[in-house]
Amino acid sequence: YGNFIDNLRLFTKGGSGGMGYPRLGGEGGKGGDVWVVAHNKMTLKQLKDKYPQKRFVAGEGANSRVSALKGSKGKDCEIPVPVGVSVTDENGKVIGELNKEKDRILVAEGGLGGKLLTNFLPLKGQKRVIHLDLKLIADIGLVGFPNAGKSSLLSKISHAKPAIADYAFTTIKPELGKIMYSDFKQISVADLPGLIEGAHMNKGMGHKFLKHIERTKQLLFVVDISGFQLSSQTHYRTAFETIILLSKELELYKEELQTKPALLAVNKMDLPDAQDKFHVLMNQLQNPKEFLHLFEKSMIPERTVEFQQIIPISAITGEGIDELKNCIRKSLDEHANQENDAYHKKQLLNLHISNTVSYSEPPSKNAVSSPRMDIT
């Protein structure tokens, strides 16, 4: 990943409370709290560079004294983190997520000040080791094996300038680009470090890659029409096999990833014989079950990904790029509309339920009830 950091372990401690004043019943101030706060312009690397000790301790509460029987609260401590961070404790339990600017999470509480309940002795603040885990948030996540042409595609459809080289594992760190449309709509696209077979077992960049996919709304599979071979020691995979293996990697890491809406960009259509190979691939994708006998059982996903659109493209010549951009936008718009409809239906249902509940309350004692009819 080079200089890119996507997780960090920090020590946090709430401030101790202040001493009480037994003779006059004075209360010590509560210790300060430790908060994690999201900032748009922050990175985990900046956080690590600025606070190399990675220790965050809040201020102590003031002691109670004659001139101020109620001691003032200790100073809170704020940890600035980038947007898109998930905060977990030492046991991996999620404390919370920060998805937008100024989101904040309390991670270590200050101790109570001394008072009658505590025999006027202050309590210590909470100690907690926390893990910050950065997961990119983007509209579209590019999924593909190394050398599928994802970086070239990103530079073609957006204003991103990823480092592109002629060897496997080209993408050093997650690269974010924005597709700009003529009506000023913007769609963010994340190109993530190349997957390899066995990524779910954390081979290659494994989990570092897969966890970022979780935070994208939709997936764009990018495959090389001529297939893929990582090295002379590994199997050659056709474009169809590549798609099946990518699906399997997603499923083994987290099944929900397969339920995300997905598009397929078949890249390098400028190569000789690309058209013939594309016809073969389309036939395989339309009848996948007929070709699954070619795979070992362990490589077959429980469910094959259903692509909303399949677009042949060439990131080099620009063929199909405009159509791909239109398909991405259409897919995101349709999905947003479906979510809106579902949200409105839920609101209406809640309204209906609350009305039904209020109407079905038992009548009060003074109410006149209609005569009961027994039907025999």
Side-chain angles (χ1 to χ4, degrees):
Y1 267 179
N3 283 332
F4 181 76
I5 294 176
D6 64 357
N7 55 66
L8 213 51
R9 183 174 179 271
L10 309 176
F11 172 81
T12 67
K13 180 175 178 288
S16 300
M19 290 291 289
Y21 203 123
R23 200 156 51 86
L24 297 173
E27 290 186 8
K30 180 181 178 294
D33 303 317
V34 182
W35 297 82
V36 175
V37 184
H39 293 277
N40 278 331
K41 297 231 163 85
M42 195 68 194
T43 66
L44 287 182
K45 183 167 190 324
Q46 285 171 332
L47 178 65
K48 188 185 174 197
D49 292 346
K50 194 172 177 184
Y51 304 98
Q53 302 296 316
K54 297 185 285 185
R55 281 177 64 87
F56 296 87
V57 181
E60 294 185 356
N63 294 337
S64 171
R65 55 189 194 279
V66 175
S67 58
L69 285 177
K70 186 153 178 54
S72 54
K73 183 179 184 289
K75 194 172 188 299
D76 283 355
C77 171
E78 291 194 353
I79 307 172
V81 301
V83 172
V85 156
S86 165
V87 186
T88 51
D89 66 12
E90 195 69 316
N91 303 317
K93 183 169 176 277
V94 176
I95 301 167
E97 293 188 340
L98 301 130
N99 294 328
K100 58 183 190 299
E101 172 83 0
K102 299 290 183 221
D103 272 2
R104 53 200 293 122
I105 296 170
L106 177 64
V107 289
E109 242 184 300
L112 289 175
K115 54 174 129 181
L116 189 60
L117 265 176
T118 66
N119 214 7
F120 295 99
L121 294 171
L123 301 183
K124 289 184 174 172
Q126 180 185 10
K127 280 185 189 173
R128 207 177 204 182
V129 171
I130 61 167
H131 292 262
L132 303 178
D133 219 7
L134 177 67
K135 297 179 179 181
L136 289 173
I137 300 175
D139 296 314
I140 298 285
L142 301 184
V143 180
F145 285 138
N147 282 25
K150 300 197 313 299
S151 295
S152 306
L153 175 61
L154 185 67
S155 61
K156 200 83 177 176
I157 61 175
S158 76
H159 294 280
K161 295 282 175 280
I164 300 166
D166 292 329
Y167 52 87
F169 300 119
T170 48
T171 309
I172 316 297
K173 65 187 178 86
E175 197 73 55
L176 271 175
K178 275 200 163 44
I179 309 177
M180 306 289 214
Y181 291 88
S182 53
D183 62 353
F184 304 109
K185 165 118 176 144
Q186 296 183 13
I187 288 174
S188 55
V189 184
D191 174 23
L192 309 157
L195 266 176
I196 61 166
E197 285 177 51
H200 68 279
M201 297 184 293
N202 219 3
K203 282 188 185 168
M205 296 205 173
H207 287 180
K208 282 193 168 183
F209 167 88
L210 288 161
K211 73 170 191 191
H212 289 312
I213 283 194
E214 289 180 61
R215 298 292 280 275
T216 58
K217 291 179 190 167
Q218 301 200 1
L219 306 180
L220 173 59
F221 282 64
V222 185
V223 299
D224 183 335
I225 187 59
S226 55
F228 169 68
Q229 187 169 16
L230 183 63
S231 69
S232 52
Q233 279 84 47
T234 59
H235 293 291
Y236 162 76
R237 304 292 187 196
T238 65
F240 177 65
E241 288 174 320
T242 304
I243 293 164
I244 295 295
L245 288 170
L246 285 169
S247 303
K248 188 66 179 174
E249 287 302 338
L250 297 189
E251 178 190 284
L252 289 170
Y253 176 70
K254 205 171 249 188
E255 280 181 40
E256 301 94 88
L257 290 180
Q258 286 185 300
T259 61
K260 282 183 187 284
L263 301 168
L264 171 63
V266 182
N267 194 15
K268 306 193 183 177
M269 289 300 293
D270 52 296
L271 296 175
D273 301 335
Q275 282 300 338
D276 296 341
K277 287 177 178 167
F278 184 69
H279 288 309
V280 171
L281 175 62
M282 287 302 286
N283 182 35
Q284 290 169 320
L285 288 172
Q286 278 154 5
N287 314 288
K289 289 191 168 63
E290 291 179 24
F291 300 93
L292 291 180
H293 65 274
L294 303 169
F295 297 87
E296 293 167 38
K297 206 153 190 202
S298 61
M299 289 160 60
I300 302 170
E302 294 289 317
R303 49 179 285 182
T304 47
V305 174
E306 287 180 21
F307 297 109
Q308 298 182 340
Q309 293 278 344
I310 298 171
I311 308 104
I313 63 160
S314 166
I316 301 298
T317 65
E319 176 196 339
I321 296 295
D322 285 341
E323 190 194 340
L324 176 61
K325 283 159 82 167
N326 292 336
C327 286
I328 288 172
R329 177 160 184 180
K330 192 173 163 215
S331 178
L332 279 167
D333 286 348
E334 280 173 5
H335 194 62
N337 289 339
Q338 283 168 7
E339 280 189 338
N340 279 343
D341 288 349
Y343 174 74
H344 289 312
K345 275 181 187 161
K346 193 176 169 189
Q347 294 289 84
L348 280 170
L349 188 65
N350 289 344
L351 194 65
H352 179 66
I353 289 167
S354 63
N355 286 343
T356 312
V357 168
S358 60
Y359 285 136
S360 61
E361 284 172 1
S364 64
K365 286 178 182 172
N366 302 334
V368 180
S369 59
S370 55
R372 185 166 160 231
M373 290 175 68
D374 288 327
I375 299 169
T376 51

